[in-house]
Amino acid sequence: MTRFRDALAAPGLQAIAEVKRRSPSAGDLRPDADPAVLAPAFALAGAAACSILVDERFGGSFDDLRAARASTGLPLLAKGFFTEESHLRTCRDAGADAALLLLRDLDDDRTAALLAFAAELGLETLVEAHDAEELNRAVALGAPVIGINARDLSSFEIDRASQLALVASAPRDRVIVAESAVDSRAKGAAAELAGAHAILVGSALMRAPDPAAKLSDLLRRPLVKVCGLTREEDVAAAAEAGADLAGFILAKESPRTAPGVLAVPETMLSVAVHVGETTDSGADLVQLYRRENGHRSRDAVLLRDGEQVAQVVDLPWQEDDPSHLARAAAVEGRLMLAGGLDASNVGAAIAAAHPWAVDASSRLESAPGIKDHAKVRAFVEAAR
């Protein structure tokens, strides 16, 4: 059986899918949730692990953990408010592979004692932090898997910007899990690009008509970027079609130069496209080309806060290249594939290059900078 930490540390963005009948902040979510049904369905949908709420305040019990254990070989995380060694023994005996330790409720001595006892039991842990102080404590205590929660457990408010900053600051020798409020591919990608190995998703799955299908959708790759957006109505059309990334070209020489980085919905990340140099555009990501012979270079890099997070493989300026997909397929790490893509060829391109994201612009237009909404919808559907 795959160990909890190892499952989360596997390549790509992983997910802990959570069985949660109710939430103190949101009330009932899925009162009839059956862990014996959901856990194996989550495994088939791509979950790396399954989290089971065993606290009655969330409508859970240790019987739920036992039911999940009987139905799946996935690593199971027991979630509750565990403060004593006896709690961890109960988790292990009920079938858990790992247990949650909330630093908010534990001082360093108690946490260290629980970590040591868990190790004796062969039980792994997810040590959860909510702020920089708790993250530093988790690191100092040697926690191998650290969860960073976007939700303040006192006010129940979500602060994703602070969460992502903490994820980005965490040591790279730890497995980092971004928790709470991940309900779209874009939010999962934001956590991934900040440095998270995995996301923990509960409420979004429990609210979905088909929780396993929702999980599969959150993890689906490639992401889809519609670039060359210049109008609010085109951003809205791309979002409605299901695009994950909205690209705004800020290079003045382009016929698709945007007036700036327009507002995008929470289901999308904004990408500012620059040639030669960047400016502070306020975008979530930056796509940077070099300037060559008065035009953009062939390829680019995708940056988050100035750090490269993906390689963009494109066609030469106004040229074609029969080796384009072979070049792309040879890239190691995250690949954004661009250049001449539309609904007619994106499926074959994905099959050939296996990109993390696909990027289309000019072939989705009725005129430079003006998107044809039918072409946008067709492209996104074909890329899915």
Side-chain angles (χ1 to χ4, degrees), residues 228-250:
L229 295 165
T230 64
R231 306 185 305 166
E232 292 180 355
E233 55 262 46
D234 293 344
V235 173
E240 185 179 356
D244 309 296
L245 306 168
F248 304 95
I249 299 173
L250 303 184

Side-chain angles (χ1 to χ4, degrees), residues 157 211 272 282 293:
E157 293 182 358
N293 302 318

Side-chain angles (χ1 to χ4, degrees), residues 24 32 40 45 56 80 111 114 117 158-159 169-170 172 187 199 252 254 268 276 287 316 328 349 358 373:
D32 61 348
E56 62 181 9
T111 305
L114 292 174
F117 188 71
I158 296 292
D159 186 345
S169 70
R172 292 297 178 253
K187 289 181 180 178
I199 52 176
K252 294 181 180 179
S254 172
M268 303 180 83
Q287 187 168 328
V358 290
H373 295 182

Side-chain angles (χ1 to χ4, degrees), residues 113-166:
L114 292 174
L115 286 169
F117 188 71
E120 291 179 18
L121 293 175
L123 187 70
E124 296 186 70
T125 55
L126 173 65
V127 177
E128 184 174 296
H130 294 81
D131 55 30
E133 179 184 1
E134 290 184 356
L135 174 58
N136 291 335
R137 288 175 58 203
V139 173
L141 287 162
V145 182
I146 300 173
I148 298 179
N149 202 330
R151 189 185 304 277
D152 184 310
L153 293 186
S154 298
S155 66
F156 301 119
E157 293 182 358
I158 296 292
D159 186 345
R160 285 194 54 77
S162 294
Q163 179 200 42
L164 295 177
L166 288 175

Side-chain angles (χ1 to χ4, degrees), residues 85 101 103 106-118 141:
E85 283 81 354
L101 297 179
L103 288 182
L106 302 166
D107 62 24
D108 285 356
D109 289 344
R110 188 90 286 266
T111 305
L114 292 174
L115 286 169
F117 188 71
L141 287 162

Side-chain angles (χ1 to χ4, degrees), residues 251 253 274-278 288-292 295-297:
E253 67 268 27
H274 293 275
V275 177
E277 58 186 17
T278 64
L288 178 61
Y289 292 85
R290 298 186 310 278
R291 191 177 297 279
E292 296 178 353
H295 301 292
R296 66 161 176 82
S297 59

